[in-house]
Amino acid sequence: MTLKGRDIISFFDFSREEVEYLFRRADELESLRRGETLNVANGKIVAVIFFEPSTRTRLSFTMAVKRLGGDVLDFGEVQRTSVAKGETLADTIKMIDGYKVDLIVLRHPSEGASKLAAEFAEAPVINAGDGSREHPTQTLLDLYTIWREFKHIDNLNIGIMGDLKYGRTPSSLSYGLSLFSNVKIYYIAPEILQIREEVLEMVERKIRYEKIEKLQDAINELDVLYVTRIQKERLPNPEEYEKLKGLYTVTPSSLEGCKENLIVMHPLPRVTELSPEVDSTKHARYFQQAVNGMVIRAALIKEILGLEG
Amino acid sequence: MSEIGEGRKPKTVKIDEGTLIDHVSAGKALKILKVLKAKEGAVILALNVPNEEIKVKDVVELRKRYLKEEEKIKVALLSPTATISTVKNHVAGPGEKIEIPNHLVDILKCPNPKCITNKEREPVKTSFTVINRKPLKIKCDYCDKIVKEEEIEKLL
C-alpha cells in the first residue's frame, strides 16, 4: 500500500484499508508522544498556508513536520500577505509550488479550495479544512482516537452530541464511521440542531442511527461520547441558548450509568458544554485526542512523502 | 417506443438557414432564447403547439445561428425532450437528441456562494458530475453541492 504523492482532499479519498494502515503506522510513532524528534524528514519542507485562523490545526501540522525532522514554510497571517492585495488562490499556490516545497497544507474559507490548489500544484496537497465542507485529517484523528482505544471501530455505539446541524465535525465523523461495519450512532441534540437529512442520506445504508434528545436515554449503550459545542449565533434567541446550554452540558453526573470503558471526546476548544470536572474521570480522552492529531498527521505526512524509518 | 422525432420526413421551416430546436417542453422556449442569448429579429417561435409525442411543445427557429456543443447541452438541460437540427434552404435536417454528458464542464454555475468556482478572478471552470439521470441530479466536483433538475434552469 502506498500513499506516496497523494493529494488528500476529501476523507472519501481513503479506503477502510488505507485508514487502518495509517492507524498502524501512527502507532509505530510512539516516540513522538515522549517528545522525541525523528530525523526521517531532514531536508523536507512543508508549506503551511492558512487563509483563516485555526491555531490548533496549524500547530498540530507544524509539530508533526518538526517532530519528523522536517521544516515548515509558514505563509503567515493572511492580512499581511499578498492575498490582502487581491491575489488569487491559484497564483498563491503556483508561487509557493515554484519553490519546490515537498508538500502543501492548506486551510481556506472557500469550499473546494484544496481541489483547485491540487490542480495547480505539483507538490501533494493536504486539505486542512475548506469552508464548512471537509477537514479530512480531523476525521482521521477522531477515528484514530477511537481505534486506539478499542483496537477496532466495528460494532461500536457512538453518541454525537451538541450542534449536529451546523457543526462540521458531526457530519464528517458520520461519513468516517460509515467506512466500518455495524456501527450505531446516537445523534443527541435538540430538534432544531439535529443532524441534516443529506448527511443521513449519505450514511443510512452503512450505519444504524437513532436521533434522541437526551443523553440519559442512551448513556448506558455508548462506547464513545463525542461532545461538540452549541454556538450561540446559531440559535434564534439568547434565551434558547441559555436553556440548551444547560441541557447539553456533560458533567460527571450526566455520565452516571455509563459503560466502564466509555470514552468522552471533544474536538476542542470547549466552552461550557464539557465541564472541567470530567477531565479527572477515567473517561476523558480529549487531550489525548489532540496529541493523536499530531501523531496521525505525522504518519500521513510520512507516507505521502514516502519517508522510511 | 420510438424516439421523439425519429423517422420523420424532412421538415419545411420558416427560416432559410440556421437551427431548428423542436420538441421543446412547453413553456421553455423563452428561457432557451435567454440562455442562448438569441438576438431579436433572428428568431421564430411557436408556443404550445399540440404534439402527439409530448402532448404540447414549443418550437424555436434561430436564423443564421448554429449551436456550439455546450449550447446544445444547455438546451438539453432546459428541455430533455428537445431535438436540434440544422436548416438549409428552409429544410431541417435530421433532429438530433442531445445526450447530457456525465461531466458538465463550464456549463452552469454552482449555487453555493462559498464554492471556490464562485470566487472572483479564480481561474477555474465549474464542473459537475451527473449522479442521477431521472430525475436529473448533479454534484459540484469542487464543493459537493447537489443540484436538482428543477434548480438547474436558473444556474445556466
Side-chain angles (χ1 to χ4, degrees):
Chain A
M1 184 169 301
T2 178
L3 292 165
K4 194 176 174 187
R6 270 261 290 272
D7 295 311
I8 307 299
I9 306 303
S10 161
F11 191 80
F12 292 107
D13 295 341
F14 290 118
S15 65
R16 172 180 175 152
E17 289 67 34
E18 286 169 339
V19 167
E20 290 179 319
Y21 170 78
L22 279 170
F23 294 166
R24 291 192 296 273
R25 300 312 302 257
D27 269 0
E28 290 165 14
L29 298 176
E30 203 55 36
S31 63
L32 300 193
R33 297 175 189 272
R34 299 190 294 268
E36 286 174 27
T37 297
L38 303 172
N39 288 317
V40 293
N42 285 349
K44 299 288 182 189
I45 299 177
V46 175
V48 175
I49 313 176
F50 274 43
F51 286 83
E52 55 179 14
S54 171
T55 315
R56 267 149 233 279
T57 306
R58 185 196 200 110
L59 290 181
S60 178
F61 270 109
T62 303
M63 277 307 288
V65 174
K66 291 190 181 233
R67 286 285 181 220
L68 290 173
D71 213 341
V72 169
L73 174 69
D74 197 308
F75 199 66
E77 298 291 322
V78 167
Q79 52 269 37
R80 293 192 200 162
T81 66
S82 49
V83 179
K85 298 174 192 155
E87 188 179 51
T88 62
L89 173 63
D91 279 3
T92 306
I93 294 294
K94 277 192 272 185
M95 184 269 298
I96 301 251
D97 195 54
Y99 293 152
K100 299 294 164 213
V101 294
D102 296 283
L103 175 67
I104 294 171
V105 176
L106 177 71
R107 152 88 52 134
H108 196 278
S110 294
E111 297 174 16
S114 300
K115 181 175 157 62
L116 176 83
E119 287 165 5
F120 282 94
E122 238 175 73
V125 173
I126 297 180
N127 180 3
D130 57 349
S132 55
R133 197 181 75 103
E134 283 255 16
H135 189 358
T137 61
Q138 175 74 44
T139 313
L140 203 55
L141 84 87
D142 290 341
L143 293 175
Y144 176 49
T145 300
I146 299 171
W147 183 87
R148 198 173 147 80
E149 191 70 30
F150 296 94
K151 299 294 164 221
H152 65 90
I153 295 178
D154 296 335
N155 308 316
L156 292 179
N157 293 337
I158 318 274
I160 310 178
M161 180 168 141
D163 176 1
L164 311 184
K165 188 172 186 179
Y166 301 103
R168 173 172 52 197
T169 309
S171 48
S172 310
L173 183 58
S174 303
Y175 299 144
L177 289 168
S178 72
L179 281 185
F180 297 87
S181 309
N182 196 34
V183 169
K184 177 160 184 182
I185 302 180
Y186 289 89
Y187 291 112
I188 309 158
E191 193 49 45
I192 46 165
L193 294 177
Q194 260 298 351
I195 193 86
R196 295 188 306 270
E197 279 306 312
E198 65 199 72
V199 179
L200 295 177
E201 266 176 43
M202 294 275 283
V203 300
E204 68 187 347
R205 258 167 272 132
K206 299 168 197 154
I207 55 154
R208 292 173 297 134
Y209 69 86
E210 210 174 302
K211 291 196 243 181
I212 59 174
E213 286 204 30
K214 291 197 202 100
L215 173 61
Q216 276 62 39
D217 294 342
I219 188 70
N220 57 338
E221 299 286 334
L222 300 180
D223 299 298
V224 176
L225 173 61
Y226 199 114
V227 185
T228 66
R229 185 157 51 102
I230 293 183
Q231 286 166 295
K232 206 176 188 168
E233 59 273 22
R234 303 291 193 197
L235 291 158
N237 56 58
E239 297 83 60
E240 187 93 30
Y241 172 72
E242 288 304 322
K243 195 180 101 195
L244 292 176
K245 199 173 80 174
L247 285 173
Y248 292 89
T249 295
V250 175
T251 61
S253 68
S254 46
L255 297 178
E256 271 170 28
C258 73
K259 287 186 182 176
E260 274 292 293
N261 56 353
L262 166 85
I263 61 166
V264 178
M265 295 171 63
H266 189 296
L268 303 178
R270 67 172 152 184
V271 189
T272 56
E273 66 283 3
L274 181 55
S275 106
E277 288 129 44
V278 179
D279 299 4
S280 54
T281 70
K282 61 182 176 183
H283 306 293
R285 288 295 180 283
Y286 25 95
F287 291 109
Q288 285 94 322
Q289 192 181 342
V291 177
N292 291 341
M294 176 192 74
V295 178
I296 193 85
R297 285 177 176 122
L300 178 65
I301 291 166
K302 198 162 163 267
E303 291 302 308
I304 293 174
L305 296 180
L307 305 174
E308 300 293 328
Chain B
M1 208 177 91
S2 67
E3 280 288 309
I4 293 162
E6 201 177 79
R8 282 266 167 70
K9 282 181 191 165
K11 188 175 175 177
T12 312
V13 295
K14 293 212 172 68
I15 55 167
D16 50 353
E17 274 180 61
T19 301
L20 166 70
I21 310 174
D22 202 352
H23 306 99
V24 173
S25 316
K28 297 287 178 169
L30 291 169
K31 186 73 200 175
I32 288 178
L33 292 184
K34 199 175 160 202
V35 166
L36 296 178
K37 299 186 177 73
K39 284 184 200 140
E40 279 177 43
V43 173
I44 294 171
L45 284 183
L47 303 178
N48 296 322
V49 181
N51 179 268
E52 55 190 49
E53 286 143 315
I54 59 169
K55 287 184 185 148
V56 56
K57 68 174 183 179
D58 289 352
V59 182
V60 178
E61 296 178 23
L62 301 168
R63 187 162 180 270
K64 297 211 166 145
R65 170 82 188 264
Y66 302 93
L67 300 186
K68 292 181 205 141
E69 213 42 51
E70 65 262 28
E71 291 174 321
K72 290 180 182 176
I73 294 167
K74 286 180 184 179
V75 169
L77 286 170
L78 286 169
S79 167
T81 55
T83 57
I84 298 175
S85 45
T86 304
V87 176
K88 269 184 195 161
N89 297 324
H90 296 282
V91 177
E96 182 191 2
K97 182 130 186 279
I98 307 301
E99 179 82 6
I100 295 166
N102 288 331
H103 291 282
L104 299 165
V105 178
D106 211 13
I107 302 284
L108 68 162
K109 59 176 200 280
C110 180
N112 173 8
K114 283 183 174 169
C115 180
I116 190 77
T117 61
N118 282 319
K119 208 155 165 274
E120 234 179 289
R121 296 182 301 107
E122 214 58 77
V124 56
K125 289 177 178 168
T126 64
S127 176
F128 288 85
T129 300
V130 173
I131 52 169
N132 198 51
R133 288 199 168 262
K134 270 182 187 173
L136 188 63
K137 239 188 208 179
I138 59 176
K139 189 170 95 161
C140 174
D141 293 330
Y142 285 89
C143 73
D144 292 335
K145 175 82 185 168
I146 292 174
V147 181
K148 294 181 187 157
E149 188 166 317
E150 60 271 21
E151 299 163 324
I152 290 175
E153 188 174 310
K154 53 182 188 289
L155 302 170
L156 289 167

